[in-house]
Amino acid sequence: MNKNFRLEIFNKASLCRNFEEEVILNVNNKNIKTPVYVSAGQEFIASSISSICKKKKIKPLIFGQHRCHSTYLAFGGNITELIDELLGKETGCTKGKGGSASINSKAINMYGHDGFMGSNACIGVGACFSSKKPTIIFIGDAAAEEDYVLGALGWAAHKKLPILFIVEDNDLSILTKKNIRRNWNMRDVARSFKLEGHDIKDNPTEIEKYSKLFFKKPMLLNINTTRIYWHAGGGKDKDKTFDRFKNEKKILGAEAIKIDEYNKVYIKKLWKSQLEK
C-alpha cells in the first residue's frame, strides 16, 4: 500500500476517532441523553473498506448495525446530521428517532438497523439478491451467532451474490468473551457454506490484500479489532487496549499528526455549532 493511500485511510479514521471522542465528551456531560455505541478502536475497518470502494468507483449498499458511526462517516455521511441525530433533533439523519444504532442515509446507500441483533444480515442479503448491487453487511462477533445470520450466509453463497460480510470482531458481547460463548470461528463457518472466508487484523494493508475479490464473489472477512469504550456509554474498557489509530499515527509520522490536529479542531467546531443551535 502506498503512503498516500494509507494517509487517505488515516484521514477518514482520524475524522471518525475525533468524532467519537466528542460523542464521549457529550455523553459524560449529559448533552446526549440516549444510549450510544461508539466505534472508537474499530474505525480503520470502515475507513479502509470505504477508501477501497472509492478507488474501485463502487458505491455499495451498506447495512450497518450498532457501533456504526464510523461506517456512516467513512462512507461520506453528513457529519452535522449525525451530530443532530445523537442530540435527538429532527434535523438528524433519521429525524432524531433512530439514534446511535439505527443510522440511515439515502445519500450514501446506508440503511438503518431495526435493533434486532444480526437482522441486517438477512435484510442485506435480500436487498443484494433483488438488486444484484454490490453490498456490504457489517455485524459484530455476537450478532454472527444469530441463526438467521447463518441462513443468510448460506443463501448468499448459493446465489453467488456480490456481497461482502464484515465481522467487526472485538471479542466481546457486552462483556462476555468469545471463548465463553462458542468454540468455533466465523472464517470456518463461512468456508463451510462455500464462501470465501478469512480471519484477519484491522490493519489497512491486510484488508487491502483481499480487496481484489470484493464483490467478485460472496466473501466474509472476520476482522479482529479492539473496542476502546464500553459496549454502550462513555466509560473505558481498560487502559491498555491496543489502539490501531495510535499505532498508524506513529507509523505515518508528521503528516498524520497534522491531519489529526486539523480534524480535531474541525470536529470540535461542528459539535459546538450544533449544540448552540
Side-chain angles (χ1 to χ4, degrees):
M1 180 181 289
N2 68 58
K3 189 173 182 181
N4 285 339
F5 190 54
R6 199 161 177 171
L7 283 167
E8 178 184 329
I9 293 170
F10 178 83
N11 184 33
K12 289 185 177 184
S14 169
L15 193 77
C16 296
R17 173 59 66 90
N18 283 292
F19 183 90
E20 298 293 50
E21 294 295 349
E22 287 298 308
V23 171
I24 294 300
L25 179 65
N26 283 284
V27 167
N28 290 334
N29 67 20
K30 311 299 184 187
N31 286 327
I32 297 175
K33 305 181 189 304
T34 55
V36 295
Y37 308 90
V38 299
S39 51
Q42 303 180 189
E43 53 272 291
F44 270 94
I45 298 173
S47 297
S48 298
I49 293 169
S50 64
S51 296
I52 290 164
C53 287
K54 180 183 175 183
K55 193 175 181 180
K56 289 176 173 286
K57 298 181 179 178
I58 292 171
K59 188 176 181 180
L61 305 181
I62 304 163
F63 291 85
Q65 204 179 247
H66 68 294
R67 216 172 305 288
C68 63
H69 299 170
S70 286
T71 303
Y72 173 90
L73 294 171
F75 279 91
N78 185 290
I79 302 176
T80 56
E81 289 182 7
L82 181 54
I83 294 172
D84 287 355
E85 185 63 34
L86 299 179
L87 295 174
K89 296 182 179 182
E90 288 187 5
T91 46
C93 56
T94 49
K95 310 301 181 185
K97 297 178 180 179
S100 177
S102 303
I103 297 167
N104 180 73
S105 172
K106 288 183 179 179
I108 62 168
N109 291 339
M110 184 170 177
Y111 297 89
H113 186 232
D114 59 19
F116 289 98
M117 288 288 288
S119 65
N120 57 322
C122 42
I123 294 169
V125 166
C128 184
F129 175 67
S130 64
S131 70
K132 300 300 184 287
K133 292 179 179 178
T135 301
I136 307 175
I137 297 171
F138 291 88
I139 56 176
D141 54 275
E145 296 163 13
E146 298 292 344
D147 54 354
Y148 38 80
V149 172
L150 303 179
L153 293 177
W155 182 256
H158 178 56
K159 294 299 180 179
K160 298 180 173 57
L161 300 181
I163 197 163
L164 177 61
F165 295 94
I166 300 295
V167 182
E168 296 183 321
D169 186 349
N170 61 31
D171 193 38
L172 291 167
S173 175
I174 303 180
L175 288 172
T176 308
K177 291 194 172 185
K178 271 191 312 183
N179 62 6
I180 296 171
R181 302 182 337 248
R182 53 176 156 105
N183 63 353
W184 46 269
N185 65 64
M186 281 305 296
R187 176 197 60 201
D188 293 342
V189 169
R191 290 177 179 179
S192 74
F193 282 115
K194 296 183 172 56
L195 282 164
E196 183 84 18
H198 301 279
D199 192 74
I200 66 174
K201 295 178 181 178
D202 63 350
N203 188 321
T205 55
E206 282 202 43
I207 295 171
E208 188 194 38
K209 186 168 71 172
Y210 294 97
S211 66
K212 63 182 180 295
L213 298 175
F214 283 10
F215 315 118
K216 301 290 186 185
K217 58 169 74 175
M219 181 165 69
L220 180 144
L221 294 180
N222 189 86
I223 305 181
N224 296 279
T225 187
T226 51
R227 181 181 89 186
I228 303 297
Y229 293 98
W230 289 344
H231 168 71
K236 279 202 169 184
D237 284 331
K238 55 186 179 180
D239 291 331
K240 294 185 178 179
T241 302
F242 174 75
D243 191 337
R244 173 66 61 189
F245 179 76
K246 288 182 179 178
N247 186 72
E248 285 290 302
K249 187 175 176 180
K250 184 178 179 180
I251 290 170
L252 292 170
E255 290 168 280
I257 292 169
K258 186 176 180 180
I259 288 168
D260 193 42
E261 286 301 315
Y262 174 86
N263 284 330
K264 185 178 296 183
V265 172
Y266 172 63
I267 292 294
K268 279 188 176 294
K269 283 182 178 178
L270 283 181
W271 270 94
K272 186 174 185 293
S273 173
Q274 297 312 108
L275 283 164
E276 290 174 349
K277 285 184 179 180

